[in-house]
Amino acid sequence: MRKCDVLVVGAGIAGCSVAYELAAAGATVVVAERGAVCSGSSALNAGGIRQQFSQETSVRAGMQMVRRLLQFQEEFGVDPAFRQAGYLFLHDGGESARVLERAVRVQNACGVPTRLVGPAEVAHLVPGINVSDVAGGAHNPTDGYVDPNSMVSGFAAGARARGATILQDSPVIAIESSGTKVTGVTTTLERIVPDVLVNAAGAWAADVAAVYGGSLPITARRNDIFAVDRSPAPHDFIPLTIDLVTGGLYFHSEGEGLVAGIAESFAVADPPDGVAVGWEMLPALVDRLVHRLPDLAAAGVAHGWAGFIEATPDDNPVVGWTHLDNVYTIAGFSGHGMSLAPGLAPLAAREIRGGSPEHLEIYRLQRFEDGGVEPEGVWGGSGIAAGTGTGSPPITRE
């Protein structure tokens, strides 16, 4: 039997960044991971890092992440491959334009240099782009994209260096409770008695909650990404572009090609450890990509992969105490965990250690019961695009 101050379930970007912050503050931390570090959804996304959000707390979390990335290698000894090529949202002048305009005002008030741009500047930012149906966009040059594996590995190494223990191949199989507290957690390797249990299990967070009798409004959704063998700017890094005009196409530079995907995603009950790519999604991607970047008509697709998005009804994460007095959840990032989780981790770690719950109110689980939920609209989710034929709002996996 092992005792610890905090047991974190999940070694993705949320779990490793929270474990790092807790260990750096002097807590005794154990991380239980069902597979290997960064073996779940964190490894299977496009690595987008942005500050372009609708709510101030999320904007500031993104700002914190960008600041940290600029000194990440010095802090963690790992190069995160941060390409500060910017983020560009495209709109057609309709509701998506109004959502972006409101968000840009929030971002500017926080000090983020996002600007509304016209078709001519869009064409300058992305060589060869078709802007015939584009009314404009929102561009922030200080956003970008990273290598997700390097980022998670850096936080995991930092947590270990500060005394945290990461148990790999150690899924949780039982959670004991007495009264209003968890009293013990059993993994396939050992029994652990934590003062606090942190649920950072991502797409599997609802399954972890169910073990102790709780429920979370987090749905696992399959999303597919493809590697395209050429780029409109093969020797440069173009902005991570989210095309709201075509319904959520997104792409960014990867080597001399692109990483690209579309917004459609599919709910998966009881998500397995892994999922095969849905090649049936490729024709829709090709249609949208060639419409937006006509010079790619002869491009090939090198390979593809799929992962799970941990989606909530408002596309914002659940962060805070949940169900029992010593259970804390940080999950449900809805496709933008790379941008938000490390920026929110210091606030979550402070609260877990008994500090004030600073700036986390918009992420509380209680919001879904109280009503008045404000969706995160600036990313191609339910606040901007609708109607994908899947029966659910589209989710863009950045």
Side-chain angles (χ1 to χ4, degrees):
M1 184 178 68
R2 182 196 299 264
K3 294 185 178 180
C4 61
D5 296 331
V6 184
L7 170 63
V8 179
V9 179
I13 188 61
C16 287
S17 57
V18 168
Y20 169 78
E21 299 295 344
L22 288 165
T28 304
V29 180
V30 175
V31 180
E33 165 55 45
R34 63 190 294 172
V37 169
C38 200
S39 60
S41 299
S42 292
L44 299 169
N45 67 85
I49 300 293
R50 65 185 169 93
Q51 303 150 91
Q52 292 190 62
F53 289 96
S54 299
Q55 284 108 6
E56 180 181 347
T57 303
S58 295
V59 173
R60 293 194 181 281
M63 294 171 68
Q64 169 69 12
M65 186 67 255
V66 169
R67 284 193 294 267
R68 173 163 260 171
L69 279 169
L70 297 177
Q71 55 185 11
F72 196 89
Q73 188 164 8
E74 179 181 348
E75 183 176 2
F76 295 102
V78 175
D79 180 5
F82 181 38
R83 310 304 183 191
Q84 203 166 21
Y87 245 76
L88 175 64
F89 287 85
L90 305 180
H91 67 77
D92 61 3
E95 179 59 24
S96 59
R98 290 184 283 276
V99 172
L100 290 172
E101 288 168 3
R102 290 194 297 270
V104 168
R105 288 195 292 270
V106 174
Q107 295 155 28
N108 291 167
C110 294
V112 177
T114 312
R115 294 189 305 112
L116 296 171
V117 297
E121 189 160 355
V122 169
H124 175 73
L125 291 166
V126 183
I129 193 169
N130 169 25
V131 295
S132 62
D133 55 350
V134 173
H139 176 245
N140 174 22
T142 63
D143 293 334
Y145 34 93
V146 297
D147 171 41
N149 283 281
S150 296
M151 252 185 61
V152 177
S153 297
F155 279 112
R160 287 186 175 115
R162 286 154 181 78
T165 299
I166 300 180
L167 304 175
Q168 301 185 92
D169 298 315
S170 186
V172 169
I173 57 177
I175 299 175
E176 307 155 27
S177 62
S178 177
T180 61
K181 288 191 173 184
V182 163
T183 56
V185 176
T186 302
T187 75
T188 53
L189 295 181
E190 60 187 280
R191 184 172 182 269
I192 304 167
V193 179
D195 291 337
V196 174
L197 171 66
V198 175
N199 183 354
W204 298 270
D207 295 339
V208 172
V211 177
Y212 64 76
S215 63
L216 293 171
I218 296 174
T219 302
R221 302 184 67 88
R222 191 201 85 200
N223 190 253
D224 306 280
I225 301 180
F226 299 92
V228 182
D229 65 5
R230 65 190 67 185
S231 164
H235 305 297
D236 199 4
F237 295 103
I238 62 174
L240 195 158
T241 302
I242 298 183
D243 182 0
L244 305 177
V245 181
T246 60
L249 167 71
Y250 61 96
F251 54 85
H252 72 67
S253 301
E254 183 74 11
E256 294 189 359
L258 296 176
V259 164
I262 56 176
E264 282 83 345
S265 64
F266 303 88
V268 178
D270 191 21
D273 290 353
V275 62
V277 64
W279 288 103
E280 72 278 5
M281 304 302 294
L282 185 57
L285 170 67
V286 170
D287 287 347
R288 297 181 200 183
L289 191 60
V290 172
H291 170 75
R292 190 56 64 213
L293 298 170
D295 290 347
L296 298 188
V301 173
H303 62 278
W305 65 94
F308 295 114
I309 302 169
E310 41 177 310
T312 66
D314 64 354
D315 303 329
N316 280 313
V318 174
V319 183
W321 300 105
T322 45
H323 307 113
L324 298 174
D325 291 348
N326 62 341
V327 174
Y328 195 95
T329 296
I330 179 165
F333 283 91
S334 303
H336 37 267
M338 284 290 155
S339 298
L340 289 183
L344 295 176
L347 305 179
R350 183 186 307 135
E351 186 172 29
I352 291 165
R353 295 176 58 247
S356 61
E358 185 180 0
H359 306 307
L360 295 173
E361 292 79 7
I362 69 169
Y363 306 125
R364 302 306 194 194
L365 178 61
Q366 188 66 33
R367 70 187 187 267
F368 297 112
E369 296 181 9
D370 294 343
V373 171
E374 182 181 355
E376 173 51 54
V378 186
W379 67 300
S382 57
I384 290 182
T388 63
T390 65
S392 300
I395 302 292
T396 297
R397 193 172 198 276
E398 300 165 46

